[in-house]
Amino acid sequence: MIAQHTTLTLHPATAQLLAQIRALEDTVAQLETDKAGCQYQIEQYYRLLRGQVGDLLTQLLAVQLQLAQRRAWQTGRRSDAEAARGWQERLDKTNQVIQDAIAHQPVDLAETAQHELKRLYRQAVTLAHPDRHAADPNRMAQATAFMMQLNDAYQRQDLPTVRRLVQDLTTGRLFLMQDDTAYSVDALQQWLQRLTDRQQALQAEIQQLKAESAYQYMTDGTDLTAHFARMHRELTQQLAQLQR
């Protein structure tokens, strides 16, 4: 985070901008945490979905592919051949997603570990968000790469990896943090505007994520056992109809 003591020796306009940036960084870090939490809920739903009905989905797509291939062979039309390729791509993607879900099951963390995970994530976002380093392309590229690793570990609930990343960041192993006095007023104003834009974008993204049915199923008290059982019955009926 921005060093508190540096404001004592800075120009008042610079100090005011830094104070605004500090407050907005905290807000953006919380929004980043909220967004990652929404994404985790959605991904968890789809992991459950693939575990409950993944085989049926694969079978359903395989039958759709067979029908599309037969139609393309019978008509010889280019549009039907493209449709068959589309079903093939969907089947391949579904198989890959199912395998990824099996290989990257998140770990259920205790409440205290959850608090630590969120705290470390917010700390890292505040320090290493690419917007903080936009004046230096090399530093910004490093920050972007770091955030990709951090977000992946956070969404997988991988607390040891998040700890390691934050440790590397705070000890300067990844890249040295720039001192506040190195920023001009113009640079700070641009930084503040980027944070404002990011805040608005995050708020819109979170609203969109919360509107997704997968998020609502995970958070509104839906009986997921009954939900997936009903989905299983419906997919079974669709598969039987296609096979006939």
Side-chain angles (χ1 to χ4, degrees), residues 169-185:
L169 178 66
T170 55
T171 57
R173 294 178 191 170
L174 294 177
F175 54 90
L176 295 175
M177 307 307 295
Q178 191 164 338
D179 187 79
D180 297 342
T181 57
Y183 295 103
S184 66
V185 171

mmCIF file of all heavy atoms in Angstrom, residues 169-185:
data_model
loop_
_atom_site.group_PDB
_atom_site.id
_atom_site.type_symbol
_atom_site.label_atom_id
_atom_site.label_comp_id
_atom_site.label_asym_id
_atom_site.label_seq_id
_atom_site.Cartn_x
_atom_site.Cartn_y
_atom_site.Cartn_z
ATOM 1 N N LEU A 169 5.746 -10.852 -3.042
ATOM 2 C CA LEU A 169 5.440 -9.462 -3.375
ATOM 3 C C LEU A 169 5.958 -8.505 -2.308
ATOM 4 O O LEU A 169 6.617 -7.508 -2.609
ATOM 5 C CB LEU A 169 3.929 -9.299 -3.539
ATOM 6 C CG LEU A 169 3.414 -7.896 -3.838
ATOM 7 C CD1 LEU A 169 3.883 -7.434 -5.205
ATOM 8 C CD2 LEU A 169 1.889 -7.873 -3.783
ATOM 9 N N THR A 170 5.673 -8.803 -1.056
ATOM 10 C CA THR A 170 6.025 -7.883 0.026
ATOM 11 C C THR A 170 7.526 -7.854 0.306
ATOM 12 O O THR A 170 8.036 -6.870 0.847
ATOM 13 C CB THR A 170 5.277 -8.245 1.310
ATOM 14 O OG1 THR A 170 5.533 -9.623 1.643
ATOM 15 C CG2 THR A 170 3.778 -8.052 1.134
ATOM 16 N N THR A 171 8.237 -8.917 -0.047
ATOM 17 C CA THR A 171 9.690 -8.932 0.168
ATOM 18 C C THR A 171 10.454 -8.406 -1.042
ATOM 19 O O THR A 171 11.683 -8.365 -1.027
ATOM 20 C CB THR A 171 10.179 -10.357 0.481
ATOM 21 O OG1 THR A 171 9.793 -11.237 -0.584
ATOM 22 C CG2 THR A 171 9.608 -10.850 1.790
ATOM 23 N N GLY A 172 9.721 -8.008 -2.078
ATOM 24 C CA GLY A 172 10.370 -7.426 -3.242
ATOM 25 C C GLY A 172 10.954 -8.426 -4.214
ATOM 26 O O GLY A 172 11.721 -8.066 -5.100
ATOM 27 N N ARG A 173 10.617 -9.703 -4.084
ATOM 28 C CA ARG A 173 11.166 -10.711 -4.987
ATOM 29 C C ARG A 173 10.581 -10.598 -6.391
ATOM 30 O O ARG A 173 11.205 -10.992 -7.370
ATOM 31 C CB ARG A 173 10.892 -12.117 -4.449
ATOM 32 C CG ARG A 173 11.617 -12.437 -3.148
ATOM 33 C CD ARG A 173 11.247 -13.813 -2.657
ATOM 34 N NE ARG A 173 11.730 -14.044 -1.298
ATOM 35 C CZ ARG A 173 11.388 -15.089 -0.560
ATOM 36 N NH1 ARG A 173 10.571 -15.999 -1.057
ATOM 37 N NH2 ARG A 173 11.857 -15.230 0.663
ATOM 38 N N LEU A 174 9.346 -10.098 -6.479
ATOM 39 C CA LEU A 174 8.709 -10.003 -7.796
ATOM 40 C C LEU A 174 9.125 -8.728 -8.504
ATOM 41 O O LEU A 174 9.644 -8.747 -9.606
ATOM 42 C CB LEU A 174 7.187 -10.057 -7.642
ATOM 43 C CG LEU A 174 6.652 -11.386 -7.118
ATOM 44 C CD1 LEU A 174 5.151 -11.311 -6.928
ATOM 45 C CD2 LEU A 174 6.987 -12.514 -8.090
ATOM 46 N N PHE A 175 8.896 -7.596 -7.908
ATOM 47 C CA PHE A 175 9.360 -6.319 -8.444
ATOM 48 C C PHE A 175 9.299 -5.291 -7.331
ATOM 49 O O PHE A 175 8.473 -5.396 -6.431
ATOM 50 C CB PHE A 175 8.552 -5.863 -9.656
ATOM 51 C CG PHE A 175 7.056 -5.816 -9.422
ATOM 52 C CD1 PHE A 175 6.444 -4.681 -8.944
ATOM 53 C CD2 PHE A 175 6.275 -6.925 -9.702
ATOM 54 C CE1 PHE A 175 5.076 -4.636 -8.737
ATOM 55 C CE2 PHE A 175 4.898 -6.886 -9.500
ATOM 56 C CZ PHE A 175 4.304 -5.750 -9.015
ATOM 57 N N LEU A 176 10.193 -4.343 -7.375
ATOM 58 C CA LEU A 176 10.271 -3.332 -6.332
ATOM 59 C C LEU A 176 9.101 -2.365 -6.443
ATOM 60 O O LEU A 176 8.729 -1.945 -7.540
ATOM 61 C CB LEU A 176 11.583 -2.563 -6.434
ATOM 62 C CG LEU A 176 12.850 -3.401 -6.179
ATOM 63 C CD1 LEU A 176 14.086 -2.549 -6.428
ATOM 64 C CD2 LEU A 176 12.861 -3.961 -4.757
ATOM 65 N N MET A 177 8.501 -2.014 -5.321
ATOM 66 C CA MET A 177 7.390 -1.079 -5.316
ATOM 67 C C MET A 177 7.922 0.341 -5.477
ATOM 68 O O MET A 177 8.940 0.711 -4.896
ATOM 69 C CB MET A 177 6.602 -1.182 -4.013
ATOM 70 C CG MET A 177 6.163 -2.609 -3.684
ATOM 71 S SD MET A 177 5.284 -3.396 -5.046
ATOM 72 C CE MET A 177 3.838 -2.380 -5.112
ATOM 73 N N GLN A 178 7.245 1.145 -6.270
ATOM 74 C CA GLN A 178 7.699 2.515 -6.537
ATOM 75 C C GLN A 178 7.320 3.434 -5.382
ATOM 76 O O GLN A 178 6.225 3.360 -4.839
ATOM 77 C CB GLN A 178 7.060 3.001 -7.841
ATOM 78 C CG GLN A 178 7.637 4.299 -8.362
ATOM 79 C CD GLN A 178 7.263 4.512 -9.812
ATOM 80 O OE1 GLN A 178 6.952 3.586 -10.524
ATOM 81 N NE2 GLN A 178 7.287 5.753 -10.230
ATOM 82 N N ASP A 179 8.228 4.315 -5.009
ATOM 83 C CA ASP A 179 7.981 5.249 -3.917
ATOM 84 C C ASP A 179 6.996 6.331 -4.359
ATOM 85 O O ASP A 179 6.980 6.748 -5.508
ATOM 86 C CB ASP A 179 9.294 5.899 -3.491
ATOM 87 C CG ASP A 179 9.106 6.743 -2.240
ATOM 88 O OD1 ASP A 179 9.051 6.176 -1.146
ATOM 89 O OD2 ASP A 179 8.999 7.972 -2.387
ATOM 90 N N ASP A 180 6.189 6.818 -3.392
ATOM 91 C CA ASP A 180 5.163 7.820 -3.712
ATOM 92 C C ASP A 180 5.749 9.091 -4.328
ATOM 93 O O ASP A 180 5.122 9.743 -5.170
ATOM 94 C CB ASP A 180 4.388 8.193 -2.453
ATOM 95 C CG ASP A 180 3.639 6.998 -1.875
ATOM 96 O OD1 ASP A 180 3.446 6.020 -2.628
ATOM 97 O OD2 ASP A 180 3.264 7.051 -0.701
ATOM 98 N N THR A 181 6.934 9.484 -3.864
ATOM 99 C CA THR A 181 7.509 10.738 -4.336
ATOM 100 C C THR A 181 7.912 10.684 -5.806
ATOM 101 O O THR A 181 8.224 11.721 -6.399
ATOM 102 C CB THR A 181 8.750 11.087 -3.498
ATOM 103 O OG1 THR A 181 9.690 9.995 -3.572
ATOM 104 C CG2 THR A 181 8.377 11.314 -2.038
ATOM 105 N N ALA A 182 7.899 9.502 -6.400
ATOM 106 C CA ALA A 182 8.288 9.382 -7.808
ATOM 107 C C ALA A 182 7.143 9.770 -8.746
ATOM 108 O O ALA A 182 7.340 9.907 -9.948
ATOM 109 C CB ALA A 182 8.733 7.955 -8.119
ATOM 110 N N TYR A 183 5.934 9.965 -8.221
ATOM 111 C CA TYR A 183 4.773 10.260 -9.046
ATOM 112 C C TYR A 183 4.550 11.769 -9.160
ATOM 113 O O TYR A 183 4.603 12.491 -8.157
ATOM 114 C CB TYR A 183 3.510 9.616 -8.464
ATOM 115 C CG TYR A 183 3.521 8.105 -8.460
ATOM 116 C CD1 TYR A 183 3.761 7.407 -7.284
ATOM 117 C CD2 TYR A 183 3.293 7.386 -9.623
ATOM 118 C CE1 TYR A 183 3.774 6.018 -7.268
ATOM 119 C CE2 TYR A 183 3.298 6.008 -9.622
ATOM 120 C CZ TYR A 183 3.535 5.332 -8.446
ATOM 121 O OH TYR A 183 3.550 3.961 -8.441
ATOM 122 N N SER A 184 4.235 12.223 -10.371
ATOM 123 C CA SER A 184 3.840 13.614 -10.567
ATOM 124 C C SER A 184 2.338 13.749 -10.305
ATOM 125 O O SER A 184 1.614 12.752 -10.219
ATOM 126 C CB SER A 184 4.143 14.043 -12.009
ATOM 127 O OG SER A 184 3.319 13.324 -12.924
ATOM 128 N N VAL A 185 1.870 15.005 -10.202
ATOM 129 C CA VAL A 185 0.440 15.235 -9.987
ATOM 130 C C VAL A 185 -0.368 14.668 -11.159
ATOM 131 O O VAL A 185 -1.416 14.038 -10.967
ATOM 132 C CB VAL A 185 0.154 16.738 -9.794
ATOM 133 C CG1 VAL A 185 -1.348 17.003 -9.801
ATOM 134 C CG2 VAL A 185 0.769 17.233 -8.489
#
